[in-house]
Amino acid sequence: MKVAVITGASRGIGRACAIRLAADGYTVVINYSHSEEQAKEVLNDIEKSGGSGMTCRADVSDLKAVKAMMREVINTYGQIDVLVNNAGVVKDEYLFMLNSDTLDRCMDINVKGYLYCAQQAALKMFRKKKGVIVNMSSVSSQMAIAGQSVYSATKGAVNSMTRTMAKELAPYGIRVNAVAPGFIETEMIDSIPEDKREEYLKAIPLGRLGKAEDVANVVSMLCSDCCAYMTGQTLVLDGGLSL
Ligand code: NAP
């Protein structure tokens, strides 16, 4: 048995990762913070296709909740083989309009949440001297998009923590990599106005927005032994947008 914990898996990229990893043979833990019904639907879809798993409510920015989630996973399955640190939020605000609540929320979920989940999962993986962590970054970590100073700072932090965690955890057989998607068709980008969306589309050499499944395919590859010698890397997946 192999167990994968995917944070923010009630919809979007996390949902696609849960479905893909279940198809790869993992028992999946579908984490969410509010969307219980959606999380249950994801589990239902997985079970209908012959997979297995559980849903688990935990706000990743709350260390106590993260500890309780990892404990529940260990009590249920006895191991954690993969963590996909995916739960994230975005709120575009120009610097002049920057609100401290936005800053705190993005830092708490996109930075502290990743560190809490990685720490707690690694403490479980450490016993087996084997594990994989995949952090969801963004092309915004490398490409300047006006209005995203906070979001880009959080995703830049994800790239940096990926390298440092990779070095710290390599002696324990734990690999850590990141994926930096461009514009992916999920609810997260629903708020982009139509004219802006057209503009971004024109700037993508492959001529389309990404699909959550495009990201899940790369996450699946990073979790597999195909990438057994890869750690500390951030793979950009943006249809060429940042070229
Ligand atoms: P999404 O559709 O908005 O889904 C976000 C997921 O995160 C939901 O399942 C949500 O569940 C969960 N979540 C939010 N806050 C949470 C918290 N505090 N604790 C636990 N779960 C929480 O977003 P997405 O587009 O799939 O994005 C997923 C990741 O990819 C994010 O890290 C995002 O920054 C990154 N990304 C997305 C794009 C894109 O174009 N879509 C591009 C680059 C990077 P609840 O509703 O239950 O809170």
Side-chain angles (χ1 to χ4, degrees), residues 9-34:
S10 57
R11 59 174 185 272
I13 293 171
R15 173 182 186 276
C17 290
I19 290 172
R20 175 59 204 251
L21 291 177
D24 290 346
Y26 287 88
T27 297
V28 291
V29 179
I30 299 156
N31 160 260
Y32 65 97
S33 64
H34 292 104

Side-chain angles (χ1 to χ4, degrees), residues 10-11 13 33-35 59-60 86 137 151 155 182 184 186:
S10 57
R11 59 174 185 272
I13 293 171
S33 64
H34 292 104
S35 310
D59 176 344
V60 296
N86 166 79
S137 179
Y151 183 68
K155 294 302 185 179
I184 308 298
T186 69

Side-chain angles (χ1 to χ4, degrees), residues 116-189:
Y116 291 157
C117 290
Q119 181 198 45
Q120 294 306 311
L123 281 167
K124 313 296 181 203
M125 292 169 176
F126 161 89
R127 299 186 201 158
K128 276 180 82 179
K129 289 236 179 300
K130 194 168 164 50
V132 176
I133 297 175
V134 180
N135 293 324
M136 203 54 67
S137 179
S138 165
V139 74
S140 301
S141 64
Q142 308 186 1
M143 190 185 155
I145 299 176
Q148 294 204 330
S149 51
V150 171
Y151 183 68
S152 67
T154 66
K155 294 302 185 179
V158 169
N159 298 353
S160 302
M161 73 171 79
T162 297
R163 287 196 295 274
T164 310
M165 283 178 193
K167 204 161 188 175
E168 278 187 29
L169 298 176
Y172 308 107
I174 303 169
R175 295 189 295 106
V176 188
N177 290 293
V179 181
F183 291 102
I184 308 298
E185 288 183 89
T186 69
E187 280 181 32
M188 186 173 267
I189 66 161

Side-chain angles (χ1 to χ4, degrees), residues 64-151:
K64 259 194 188 163
V66 171
K67 281 184 178 173
M69 171 169 72
M70 300 302 179
R71 213 179 306 122
E72 191 182 342
V73 177
I74 292 296
N75 289 341
T76 311
Y77 301 122
Q79 67 197 71
I80 297 174
D81 300 277
V82 162
L83 166 71
V84 183
N85 242 338
N86 166 79
V89 287
V90 67
K91 181 142 187 354
D92 287 5
E93 269 174 9
Y94 285 97
L95 193 63
F96 288 138
M97 314 292 278
L98 184 61
N99 167 314
S100 66
D101 290 344
T102 304
L103 178 57
D104 288 344
R105 182 157 185 268
C106 288
M107 289 293 180
D108 285 351
I109 298 172
N110 297 5
V111 180
K112 283 190 197 171
Y114 279 46
L115 290 163
Y116 291 157
C117 290
Q119 181 198 45
Q120 294 306 311
L123 281 167
K124 313 296 181 203
M125 292 169 176
F126 161 89
R127 299 186 201 158
K128 276 180 82 179
K129 289 236 179 300
K130 194 168 164 50
V132 176
I133 297 175
V134 180
N135 293 324
M136 203 54 67
S137 179
S138 165
V139 74
S140 301
S141 64
Q142 308 186 1
M143 190 185 155
I145 299 176
Q148 294 204 330
S149 51
V150 171
Y151 183 68

